[in-house]
Amino acid sequence: MEKILEKKRIDDWIKALSDWEVHAPALQDGIWTYQPVSGAIRLDHPNTNQSPKGFAFPQREIFFSFEQIKGEPPKLKQVLPKTPQHAVFGVRPCDGRGVPRMDKVFNDHVEDPYYNARRKNVAYVGLACNKPPSPNCFCLSVGGSPVSTDGLDVQLTDMGDRYFVKAITEAGKALMKAADGMFSDPSAAEQKQLKQVHAEAVAHPQRKVNDPDGAPAKLKANFNSPLWEEMARACIGCGICTFLCPTCHCFDINDEVQNKAPLKGQRVRTWDNCQFPDFTMHSSGHNPRENTGARLRQRVNHKFQYFHENFGMHQCTGCGRCITGCPVGIDIVTVVNKVTEHAG
Amino acid sequence: MSEQQDYEPRIVAFLCKWCSSAGSDLAGVSRIQYPANATPITVPCTGAISPMYILSAFNKGADGVLVSGCHIGDCHYIEGNFLARRKMQLIMELIEFIGVEPNRFRMSWVSAAEGAKFATVITDFVNDLKPLGPQDKLKRAEQA
Amino acid sequence: MINLQDIRDTARDMLAKGEVRTVIGYRRGTRGMLAEPAFITDPAQADDLVWNPTCFHNLSLYLVEDRKFLAHLRQNPGAPIGIVAKGCDARSIVVLMQEHYFKREDVYIIGVSCEGTGVVDERKLAPHLNGFQASDAVFDGDDFVFTTAQGEKRLPAREVMADRCLECRIPFPKEHNLVFGEDKTGRQLAEPFAALKRFEAQEGGDRWNFWSHHFDRCIRCFACRSVCPMCYCDECVVDSITFPVTSETSAEEKANRIRWIERSATRSENITYLMTRAMHLAGRCTDCGECERACPVNVPIRLLNNKMEREAREKFGFEPGASIGGPSLVASFLDNDPGDFIR
């Protein structure tokens, strides 16, 4: 389904989506974040500070609650998320491409009921990048594109005073049908303009991973390279790169006890981060990834080697958040290039 | 009675073993009437109280936190209460800075001989806490 | 004015003579104009060193890392480690030495004075560049000069400088082995604690609204902790690595363990974390401002640290990082410390 929507009518479209809870990027406290829409939206954001992965995989979620009276068996109550239907506007193509990657992780071998319960109620309305929204964009290097529709339900393309609106999935069609009368059919000229806008978008220069196809083998060959430690020398072991990433999915599970007698609490899942020193800490005190080099290698190899071996695609979608956000200048593009060139 | 008056604040009281804890015992054996809102936790010295204890007490739902020790000059460890005086001043300022009612934190010097003073300190604290209502700013939220 | 070549020559000579084993400084990064930490061991690489308005990092953090690493290897330090340090960084080094983290002779401080300026705040700079990215930044007197695709952009430093630098009272590394640049201690680009005072004037009675909003936003990536040279505890209160959970661990046992702060990034836990951190930094924080710069979601962490710094100064006459032999704030006292608040 391909339609045209006048830009000024986008707020009307959102108003018509009364069955959805609509979120869109908004500038608050100096950063762009997804916020519930109230009033007018502006889709002129660079890229959001954090990826939209939290809609399906929130930073904290409760698995089940437990209660035990001393001497009696514990009572468990599963807490499955009951989220309303979400429509997330303004998702950039790199973040869109993060969605199927997360879907794979949470549905390979074992289906994660918590993830899936949320995921089925989220529709992503993407916005093609007419020019790279960040100086650290490199989606073209990792099989993506600034006009990719992968993972999106609807794709918007900014064409001056109009959006070219394309439904990708059934969920996307439903969003458009909710405001049927607002859209018009694209003329041949508009179709042509779309092609041109997209061609220009792809032609914009970006940062470049030099040999993405060769990366998995070369990273594997360089597992023991001293380069890792050298490149991670400045790493401070914070969680910025993983917490902002659209595809980092590691988590920790903890029991949070609220009351001791009678025992009461919940088991919760929270985001975890492979760059924290205690991520792989054993109870014996031994830490198999004991320095920042080993931890940086884990993150980069996961993105460009392990995931590729498991699912045949790079996990990294080239959004550049980890590069922009790193307080000490660790740059995944440079890291991958250095390692691959080292082998070549 | 209104709901406000029904509300009984929970106080976590960190009492030094040598003075204030003994002072609270004296208040008890002297049969002085004072509100039963304080849960005492005896510590070796006020100087040993980490500000973390206070934050943690609030985090776990205390409506007020009291730190009480020996008078200046009377510390069993000579200078523990001098150190506490500095630390507690800082944590008090910090709590107030983020917008928590300053009356939720209190510090007092109560010697082993001051049973009556201990009762007064607790009574005054309870009276000051009652109008504030339950402390839910720093408290860990209850979940289903 | 600092001549960059002097810094490079010094580093090269010292490395060549074996007087230092590494020079920790700044080099050009791969992200536009931004500098990044550099660890120079080969004299031939000394020319990688740079000194420009994007040299934000408080490199004394890496002295801590180095110390931990040596302890892990059970090695003695050998030759000292050279470090490029600004005024605030040098004060951090002094605090670390006050706390006996390492000895004076273990470190060779190559001081750099910020003179009349300081480091740039990227958040303040962005609106001046019309959406363009700067590829280079240099000091020029009281100005910063940026290079963008549109050409050169000259801006008065005080318009785009970090708040911490504007408020800095001692932009000169008093403790040093060697220092470059003029001592402009006493310059006052903004009054001390200006940001804190602005905040206090603005928020009036409704502090809690402000702080609860920001405490909700914290994502607990711990960048503020990781970037801080003073956050060197082997085990932080937020990490629960002391108490392993095995299949044998009973629910009751778990319930009885001390868990100061849960892993969840919820308001109450974030408060406990950030407040504990502020307390632990009282009298130790030298206001390098790295925590606030590193924060990916712009939580105004510096206000908490500034508040503690001001209280320490006004109530106890305490100045962090003033001298190596000096007392530490919470392990010392004066007989006449204020005590009016005590009943």
Side-chain angles (χ1 to χ4, degrees):
Chain A
M1 192 153 92
E2 295 183 345
K3 297 278 183 189
I4 293 290
L5 179 73
E6 282 178 68
K7 248 190 190 172
K8 58 183 185 222
R9 300 207 69 184
I10 189 145
D11 291 320
D12 296 333
W13 180 21
I14 287 172
K15 264 190 216 113
L17 299 176
S18 51
D19 292 343
W20 284 266
E21 199 175 284
V22 183
H23 289 249
L27 186 61
Q28 197 190 46
D29 301 300
I31 53 169
W32 288 90
T33 48
Y34 287 97
Q35 302 276 344
V37 172
S38 58
I41 67 163
R42 39 191 279 213
L43 293 177
D44 58 350
H45 55 289
N47 200 355
T48 50
N49 181 267
Q50 273 184 280
S51 79
K53 71 176 171 189
F55 286 102
F57 176 48
Q59 183 162 10
R60 171 183 197 265
E61 73 183 321
I62 301 173
F63 278 178
F64 58 81
S65 60
F66 53 82
E67 252 186 278
Q68 187 175 25
I69 295 164
K70 212 165 184 167
E72 286 178 24
K75 281 186 214 136
L76 307 181
K77 197 176 106 209
Q78 190 178 25
V79 184
L80 270 176
K82 286 192 202 84
T83 49
Q85 290 210 83
H86 281 84
V88 185
F89 274 69
V91 175
R92 294 289 182 179
C94 46
D95 291 342
R97 294 185 72 234
V99 174
R101 283 160 176 75
M102 295 294 261
D103 288 350
K104 281 185 200 304
V105 169
F106 286 105
N107 286 287
D108 188 50
H109 301 304
V110 179
E111 289 175 10
D112 185 306
Y114 302 92
Y115 176 85
N116 289 337
R118 285 198 159 82
R119 172 71 184 90
K120 73 173 174 17
N121 282 336
V122 191
Y124 299 95
V125 181
L127 177 66
C129 302
N130 291 6
K131 61 172 196 171
S134 148
N136 294 316
C137 285
F138 60 100
C139 59
L140 287 165
S141 296
V142 285
S145 138
V147 299
S148 161
T149 56
D150 206 7
L152 299 175
D153 296 286
V154 177
Q155 184 198 43
L156 304 179
T157 305
D158 190 328
M159 301 209 306
D161 57 350
R162 282 150 296 154
Y163 287 113
F164 195 102
V165 188
K166 192 168 162 185
I168 317 292
T169 62
E170 286 306 315
K173 278 182 195 156
L175 284 171
M176 290 175 70
K177 275 184 189 140
D180 230 357
M182 289 178 202
F183 299 94
S184 58
D185 289 322
S187 65
E190 282 164 333
Q191 290 280 13
K192 202 176 147 204
Q193 195 190 345
L194 177 77
K195 282 213 178 76
Q196 200 187 335
V197 169
H198 281 189
E200 279 170 18
V202 175
H204 267 286
Q206 289 187 351
R207 299 202 54 188
K208 199 163 180 300
V209 175
N210 295 331
D211 183 13
D213 299 329
K218 286 177 177 171
L219 287 168
K220 193 169 186 174
N222 273 301
F223 188 83
N224 291 316
S225 166
L227 265 179
W228 290 113
E229 224 167 299
E230 192 189 307
M231 290 184 300
R233 188 72 202 271
C235 178
I236 55 173
C238 75
I240 291 181
C241 46
T242 62
F243 284 7
L244 303 191
C245 177
T247 60
C248 271
H249 52 256
C250 288
F251 55 79
D252 190 13
I253 297 175
N254 271 299
D255 286 349
E256 294 187 353
V257 176
Q258 233 139 47
N259 205 19
K260 283 199 215 166
L263 183 66
K264 200 179 149 204
Q266 306 94 30
R267 180 159 296 183
V268 298
R269 164 160 82 185
T270 53
W271 290 353
D272 205 348
N273 162 30
C274 56
Q275 307 302 300
F276 289 153
D278 65 343
F279 183 76
T280 45
M281 181 72 89
H282 292 182
S283 50
S284 66
H286 170 65
N287 194 343
R289 285 185 213 136
E290 69 175 353
N291 57 35
T292 49
R295 298 195 278 267
L296 174 70
R297 178 181 63 202
Q298 166 62 24
R299 183 172 138 76
V300 173
N301 281 8
H302 197 172
K303 298 289 173 210
F304 286 90
Q305 182 201 334
Y306 312 145
F307 199 85
H308 199 277
E309 286 167 357
N310 289 337
F311 300 108
M313 57 173 89
H314 288 312
Q315 192 191 16
C316 177
T317 64
C319 70
R321 282 188 182 88
C322 56
I323 306 176
T324 311
C326 181
V328 293
I330 292 173
D331 177 338
I332 196 167
V333 173
T334 311
V335 169
V336 174
N337 285 345
K338 263 195 190 165
V339 178
T340 50
E341 276 152 30
H342 187 253
Chain B
M1 274 211 300
S2 77
E3 206 177 318
Q4 192 76 311
Q5 282 163 319
D6 271 343
Y7 155 72
E8 288 296 340
R10 283 190 68 173
I11 298 169
V12 173
F14 295 101
L15 309 178
C16 124
K17 161 185 172 180
W18 303 97
C19 292
S20 296
S21 189
S24 77
D25 281 349
L26 183 63
V29 296
S30 313
R31 313 216 166 186
I32 303 172
Q33 291 287 322
Y34 67 95
N37 301 49
T39 306
I41 297 178
T42 306
V43 292
C45 175
T46 47
I49 297 172
S50 162
M52 188 79 232
Y53 296 179
I54 292 148
L55 292 171
S56 192
F58 282 127
N59 177 272
K60 293 181 173 57
D63 298 310
V65 176
L66 172 73
V67 168
S68 188
C70 314
H71 286 271
I72 287 293
D74 292 348
C75 177
H76 186 81
Y77 305 100
I78 320 296
E79 57 186 36
N81 51 4
F82 281 104
L83 294 167
R85 187 168 64 177
R86 267 200 178 184
K87 276 191 277 188
M88 295 309 134
Q89 169 107 41
L90 289 170
I91 185 80
M92 188 182 74
E93 296 284 351
L94 191 62
I95 289 172
E96 191 179 344
F97 183 66
I98 63 158
V100 174
E101 301 85 349
N103 257 346
R104 294 209 184 268
F105 176 76
R106 187 152 296 181
M107 189 169 182
S108 65
W109 302 139
V110 173
S111 78
E114 293 177 321
K117 183 174 177 188
F118 184 80
T120 317
V121 164
I122 298 289
T123 313
D124 289 351
F125 200 9
V126 171
N127 288 341
D128 290 346
L129 282 171
K130 275 194 174 172
L132 299 179
Q135 184 277 119
D136 50 12
K137 289 178 177 169
L138 308 183
K139 188 185 173 186
R140 189 174 290 169
E142 294 254 350
Q143 272 122 9
Chain C
M1 225 20 208
I2 292 173
N3 180 5
L4 170 61
Q5 203 52 47
D6 293 343
I7 302 178
R8 291 174 173 172
D9 292 345
T10 305
R12 186 184 311 105
D13 287 354
M14 296 201 68
L15 285 165
K17 288 184 196 146
E19 286 168 0
V20 291
R21 61 195 148 96
T22 306
V23 171
I24 308 177
Y26 303 94
R27 70 173 174 210
R28 186 60 189 273
T30 52
R31 310 175 298 168
M33 64 171 176
L34 301 179
E36 65 181 29
F39 305 86
I40 312 280
T41 47
D42 177 358
Q45 292 172 342
D47 280 341
D48 286 356
L49 291 172
V50 299
W51 172 241
N52 67 39
T54 68
C55 295
F56 318 113
H57 320 83
N58 183 344
L59 300 174
S60 59
L61 163 72
Y62 297 108
L63 295 176
V64 172
E65 295 299 319
D66 178 68
R67 197 74 200 169
K68 285 186 177 171
F69 187 62
L70 290 174
H72 179 74
L73 297 179
R74 294 169 199 274
Q75 268 181 14
N76 286 321
I81 199 158
I83 181 166
V84 177
K86 306 185 287 290
C88 45
D89 308 344
R91 288 196 295 281
S92 297
I93 298 173
V94 168
V95 176
L96 289 166
M97 288 188 289
Q98 269 178 357
E99 296 172 359
H100 307 287
Y101 210 86
F102 43 77
K103 295 194 190 88
R104 183 64 187 87
E105 59 266 29
D106 292 339
V107 49
Y108 187 95
I109 304 174
I110 304 167
V112 282
S113 169
C114 295
E115 301 187 323
T117 59
V119 299
V120 66
D121 182 337
E122 286 183 88
R123 289 156 187 144
K124 287 187 189 172
L125 175 64
H128 290 279
L129 298 185
N130 309 325
F132 284 87
Q133 200 65 17
S135 58
D136 201 12
V138 290
F139 292 112
D140 190 4
D142 287 339
D143 293 343
F144 292 154
V145 182
F146 301 94
T147 313
T148 72
Q150 279 186 311
E152 263 189 9
K153 179 96 183 168
R154 174 179 290 270
L155 290 166
R158 61 175 71 194
E159 278 182 28
V160 289
M161 252 162 78
D163 281 351
R164 51 173 156 151
C165 297
L166 288 170
E167 295 167 23
C168 177
R169 300 183 296 277
I170 318 166
F172 182 80
K174 290 244 179 320
E175 185 69 36
H176 59 255
N177 295 76
L178 186 70
V179 69
F180 297 104
E182 254 179 271
D183 182 355
K184 293 212 176 157
T185 302
R187 74 162 203 204
Q188 205 172 24
L189 303 181
E191 60 173 329
F193 305 111
L196 178 62
K197 284 178 189 158
R198 247 189 340 262
F199 160 74
E200 286 173 333
Q202 235 172 43
E203 294 304 320
D206 225 346
R207 297 266 176 84
W208 178 247
N209 270 351
F210 175 88
W211 283 112
S212 56
H213 168 71
H214 286 296
F215 289 140
D216 278 341
R217 293 172 53 248
C218 170
I219 58 170
R220 290 269 288 282
C221 64
F222 297 126
C224 45
R225 175 187 76 176
S226 306
V227 84
C228 179
M230 297 307 148
C231 275
Y232 59 61
C233 293
D234 282 332
E235 194 179 320
C236 181
V237 285
V238 292
D239 293 332
S240 45
I241 52 177
T242 325
F243 304 117
V245 175
T246 68
S247 54
E248 307 296 311
T249 314
S250 70
E252 196 178 354
E253 202 184 327
K254 282 190 226 170
N256 283 314
R257 282 176 175 175
I258 299 175
R259 281 269 279 279
W260 297 109
I261 300 168
E262 296 288 2
R263 196 92 195 225
S264 296
T266 51
R267 184 196 288 176
S268 62
E269 308 311 290
N270 298 348
I271 292 177
T272 316
Y273 161 61
L274 287 165
M275 301 268 283
T276 305
R277 184 168 176 276
M279 276 308 297
H280 281 186
L281 288 179
R284 306 171 66 232
C285 169
T286 61
D287 199 21
C288 72
E290 277 291 277
C291 46
E292 189 160 292
R293 179 189 68 90
C295 181
V297 295
N298 296 354
V299 175
I301 314 166
R302 204 178 141 248
L303 288 175
L304 295 172
N305 297 334
N306 278 179
K307 166 76 182 168
M308 291 287 91
E309 188 185 340
R310 192 180 62 186
E311 289 308 318
R313 199 166 177 231
E314 288 176 357
K315 299 230 159 63
F316 314 118
F318 190 88
E319 201 71 56
S323 71
I324 299 175
S328 88
L329 177 68
V330 293
S332 67
F333 61 87
L334 297 174
D335 288 349
N336 57 353
D337 278 346
D340 320 336
F341 67 101
I342 302 167
R343 307 225 171 186

